Amino acid sequence: MYSSFSLLPALALWSSSPISAQDSLPASVSGRRTRKQPSGLIFSSRKLLAFTRAISPLSMLEHGKAYSSSVSPVQTDDHSTVANMDEDSENIGIFSLDPGLEAYKDHFRYRIRRYVDQKKLIEKHETSLEEFAQGYLKFGFNREEGCIVYREWAPAAQEAEVIGDFNGWNGSGHKMVKDQFGVWSIRIPDFGGEQAIPHNSRVKFRFKHSNGVWVDRIPAWIKYATQDPTIFAAPYDGVYWDPPPLERYQFKHPRPPKPEAPRIYEAHVGMSSSEPRVNTYREFADDILPRIRANNYNTVQLMAVMEHSYYGSFGYHVTNFFAVSSRSGTPEDLKYLIDKAHGLGLQVLMDVVHSHASNNITDGLNGFDVGQSSQESYFHAGDRGYHKLWDSRLFNYANWEVLRFLLSNLRWWLDEFKFDGFRFDGITSMLYHHHGINMGFSGNYNEYFSEATDVDAVIYLTLANNLIHSILPDANVIAEDVSGMPGLCRPVSEGGIGFDYRLAMAIPDKWIDYLKNKKDEEWSMSEIAWSLTNRRYTEKCVAYAESHDQAIVGDKTIAFLLMDKEMYSRMSCLTEASPVIERGIALHKMIHFLTMALGGEGYLNFMGNETGLTSLEKAMVGVMINADANGTLAMNLLDDKFKFLASSKQIVSSTDDDNKVIVFERGDLVFVFNFHPKNTYEGYKVGCDLPGKYRVALDSDAWEFGGLGRVGHDVDHFTTHEGIPGVPETNFNNRPNSFKVLSPPRTCVVYHRVEEGLEESENDDSTSFNEEGEANSSHEESYSAEVHAIKKLVPEMEALVDE
């Protein structure tokens, strides 16, 4: 059951498509699915995309330090007015956007005070938040003049030593000493002009419990961890990673600028090979990144980067937080991948897991917990420190050294590997003491601002966003939160938590519900449109129809939900498509494009979903590949030229449940989606904002995308004035103008306004696909080679199927 939420007063600005306080959500939510178990659309063929002069949108928005053991958290934004908020908490900025939050002023005051106090405490003892987050320069293994210095926080240990290949795994000659804050350290001098611990050699931290038992653990700050490939289920070993200068990867390309709206390709490097094996970082960089760029994505989001001993966790049970997953290569290989992406103009986001840690003891952070209190451990003690659904440990975000560890972890990936931002996993579990388990979020603000809120975690996330944007102002930081906490994606200076975007997690759940439980005739256009637009005003969302959660974690892709086994037998260029395949291809295109166009301010697609598949291993032939590879490119090109994702103008003018049609404007484009399984509407009247002449910009029914070519792409659609100017109730569907279109069943067509005098240049600037499916345009020549690379996949996929 999906719930409605109270609307903010400012929502009146959004015209006839109100957007609620947050996404509608399932009645029962567990915070995140457990991970323990292991074509598209087309522009006009002659004028794929016509260029028009930029039209001003109807804007809806104005646009050496002391080690301290345990201290409770809180901080301020160096680039904001947060410091003043502590003194003037009556005027918290977020209240002006949502007056409904004023009832929770005491909660915000407390949160802000804790935040400010924590930041001041860090600055007092560590100089600055930015320097505090360089813990990797002190902890773990670091080179200093003439020696290697190793430090480890283990306050409960009675004795400690470092062992490894370098000393024959005998630590008697390398005893460590502990300071007053529980930090063990040792200086290991160079020997014979060489460093004592060779690069790429194995090391471990050995310490004694209070009961006298010695245990070996991988250092918490280790930068690389591997296992013996010749031994089944071999344990992981820490590896001292310090390559000589000539072997260190040197970045060649600057970071690309932050896109106006992220179009994200979510990928798992290990699963990206066309062969049944784990792919490498360098292979992904050379083979997959050009295809991602050819499809005109501007951002890559990488899963499973941090080391995890259980591959079936898809990277969500992290054992070594500073280590690159060794299955796909070395740290230098990952740097090559990121640099290659930057050279192609792609931002790279990392799926970071700070919501919990692997329960593993011998190779994970959990191994440092030897029964001590939370103040001497990375994790909470007792039930509070254990997630019963994920079988994992939960961090104590109030602990000074935990803050140092996690904040330094973020800076490490930004500084050392040049990531451009993060997708924070499992935020709902962090925000609440109940972790979202068996919790239905109805939209009542009491659910977000009460004793159930984990303020320690809120403050950590606020510190994290402050740090990330301070180091890298162009960073994109996305929260995976199913609860829709108000203020999550508002600036720290307003009293928000500071994320740039939140994943619109209710959208894929809505599509799954429809595909599994409703006949086509039962689909409600108004309910679909509501689910797609139901998000908090001024808090940006990344929309998606399916991510890795749907594609590889206990469910099916949308393509398999639509077509299932017939994809193996009835999908071919050589035979006529069955009714199941025809329906599946049409709805696959419509679902993905409607989600992109109406669901948020950014868009995400998981690797393989553009072809309806989770990997290339079982790729289908012919029609699906051509339709959706071209369609993905067409969708992204449409946004690249018209910037509709970045536009705050979003107006749903009609949700026609009887005829199964949705009409809306995004930017100055007019979108017409006809979900009816049979009905063609000739002269269907659609409303619009601006008067003039409209033509097709994109058509899912075009031949190049597996359609039937029923819509004329050279037809001029002239508008008619509707009603009395300035009196919306007299207009057509509250729009001052209208024009009529042809709308075939199960199609989506997008119309753009053609300004007088641009017809000539339009013919030169438009884009189409040629007979081989390659983009042709004076403006798109740079993409031609990369698009051709995509097309070359078809025979490869056919061969795989034949095998």
Side-chain angles (χ1 to χ4, degrees), residues 577-737:
S578 70
V580 170
I581 296 298
E582 284 186 347
R583 171 183 178 269
I585 292 174
L587 288 180
H588 191 270
K589 291 182 287 184
M590 295 180 73
I591 287 170
H592 276 268
F593 190 50
L594 181 58
T595 300
M596 178 187 189
L598 198 56
E601 292 71 36
Y603 176 69
L604 176 144
N605 195 21
F606 179 63
M607 175 181 69
N609 286 344
E610 69 274 18
T611 59
L613 304 157
T614 57
S615 75
L616 298 182
E617 182 181 354
K618 296 180 179 179
M620 300 295 100
V621 300
V623 63
M624 191 72 173
I625 302 303
N626 280 305
D628 281 305
N630 286 351
T632 298
L633 173 60
M635 289 163 52
N636 289 334
L637 278 174
L638 185 72
D639 178 60
D640 205 34
K641 304 310 174 187
F642 288 102
K643 312 297 182 186
F644 64 86
L645 272 175
S647 174
S648 58
K649 178 183 177 181
Q650 177 176 195
I651 299 165
V652 176
S653 60
S654 176
T655 52
D656 187 342
D657 283 325
D658 291 333
N659 292 313
K660 304 299 181 190
V661 177
I662 300 174
V663 180
F664 63 93
E665 295 159 68
R666 190 74 190 267
D668 290 316
L669 296 174
V670 178
F671 297 75
V672 182
F673 282 75
N674 179 359
F675 279 93
H676 201 285
K678 298 178 181 178
N679 289 357
T680 294
Y681 304 113
E682 295 188 21
Y684 191 87
K685 190 175 180 179
V686 300
C688 65
D689 179 24
L690 300 175
K693 180 170 65 177
Y694 287 78
R695 286 183 184 166
V696 171
L698 182 149
D699 172 19
S700 70
D701 192 48
W703 290 104
E704 295 91 330
F705 292 84
L708 300 177
R710 289 166 287 188
V711 177
H713 299 160
D714 297 327
V715 177
D716 293 332
H717 302 269
F718 293 93
T719 61
T720 301
H721 290 293
E722 296 287 347
I724 303 170
V727 186
E729 58 269 25
T730 67
N731 298 160
F732 175 74
N733 290 337
N734 289 318
R735 308 311 295 140
N737 295 282

Side-chain angles (χ1 to χ4, degrees), residues 111 431 458 461-462 465 485 487-492 495-499:
R111 205 162 85 178
L431 293 174
V458 169
L461 291 171
T462 311
N465 280 303
M485 174 179 271
L488 187 70
C489 299
R490 292 306 301 172
V492 175
I497 298 178
F499 284 97

Side-chain angles (χ1 to χ4, degrees), residues 29 181 185 193 214 307 358 412 463 545 591 661 745 787:
V29 173
F181 302 110
S185 63
W214 286 83
E307 188 59 87
S358 170
W412 166 253
L463 286 166
I591 287 170
V661 177
V787 174

Side-chain angles (χ1 to χ4, degrees), residues 240-536:
Y240 177 68
W241 191 260
D242 184 24
L246 291 179
E247 295 180 19
R248 294 175 187 167
Y249 186 82
Q250 301 296 321
F251 285 88
K252 304 175 180 62
H253 304 287
R255 286 185 169 103
K258 183 175 182 175
E260 293 183 68
R263 299 188 298 271
I264 302 169
Y265 192 88
E266 183 186 29
H268 185 295
V269 170
M271 295 173 60
S272 64
S273 175
S274 60
E275 302 171 9
R277 61 176 177 80
V278 177
N279 211 17
T280 70
Y281 298 121
R282 287 184 177 267
E283 289 170 326
F284 184 90
D286 293 338
D287 301 335
I288 309 301
L289 284 179
R291 300 171 186 177
I292 295 172
R293 186 64 187 92
N295 271 306
N296 216 32
Y297 289 95
N298 55 36
T299 305
V300 179
Q301 180 176 298
L302 297 181
M303 299 172 59
V305 172
M306 304 158 87
E307 188 59 87
H308 49 290
S309 64
Y310 176 44
Y311 192 57
S313 76
F314 303 110
Y316 291 104
H317 279 203
V318 176
T319 47
N320 312 109
F321 284 77
F322 287 81
V324 166
S325 181
S326 57
R327 294 176 181 87
S328 293
T330 69
E332 312 312 305
D333 294 333
L334 178 60
K335 292 174 185 177
Y336 173 84
L337 184 162
I338 295 170
D339 195 30
K340 183 74 174 284
H342 287 168
L344 291 170
L346 295 165
Q347 277 204 330
V348 187
L349 308 183
M350 176 178 166
D351 198 343
V352 68
V353 186
H354 283 180
S355 50
H356 64 133
S358 170
N359 205 25
N360 289 14
I361 292 176
T362 59
D363 53 9
L365 202 59
N366 190 30
F368 286 81
D369 183 354
V370 290
Q372 64 264 41
S373 69
S374 292
Q375 298 304 331
E376 296 184 319
S377 171
Y378 287 98
F379 309 107
H380 283 294
D383 289 343
R384 191 180 177 191
Y386 177 73
H387 198 296
K388 62 184 180 182
L389 290 186
W390 299 346
D391 187 27
S392 53
R393 296 303 307 274
L394 298 174
F395 287 106
N396 176 8
Y397 301 105
N399 188 286
W400 188 271
E401 294 303 330
V402 172
L403 285 178
R404 187 200 306 275
F405 183 84
L406 295 177
L407 291 170
S408 297
N409 189 235
L410 297 173
R411 180 156 194 177
W412 166 253
W413 295 111
L414 290 175
D415 285 356
E416 184 71 13
F417 292 89
K418 310 300 182 188
F419 277 99
D420 301 292
F422 301 97
R423 177 255 196 200
F424 272 73
D425 180 74
I427 292 297
T428 307
S429 177
M430 300 173 67
L431 293 174
Y432 311 100
H433 293 297
H434 53 64
H435 311 303
I437 299 174
N438 297 323
M439 177 66 187
F441 292 93
S442 68
N444 187 314
Y445 281 7
N446 290 323
E447 296 165 352
Y448 307 112
F449 310 114
S450 69
E451 292 182 355
T453 308
D454 190 336
V455 176
D456 292 343
V458 169
I459 291 164
Y460 163 66
L461 291 171
T462 311
L463 286 166
N465 280 303
N466 182 309
L467 172 73
I468 294 165
H469 291 103
S470 173
I471 295 171
L472 184 62
D474 276 354
N476 260 325
V477 191
I478 303 169
E480 188 210 30
D481 171 39
V482 75
S483 76
M485 174 179 271
L488 187 70
C489 299
R490 292 306 301 172
V492 175
S493 59
E494 295 178 358
I497 298 178
F499 284 97
D500 296 287
Y501 295 88
R502 183 174 67 83
L503 287 174
M505 300 181 70
I507 293 175
D509 289 340
K510 175 58 68 176
W511 288 125
I512 290 171
D513 175 49
Y514 266 50
L515 292 171
K516 287 184 175 181
N517 303 316
K518 292 183 183 293
K519 298 177 182 178
D520 291 5
E521 295 78 11
E522 298 172 341
W523 285 27
S524 167
M525 302 299 100
S526 54
E527 187 176 55
I528 290 173
W530 171 253
S531 298
L532 290 167
T533 58
N534 185 22
R535 56 189 182 272
R536 286 185 61 80

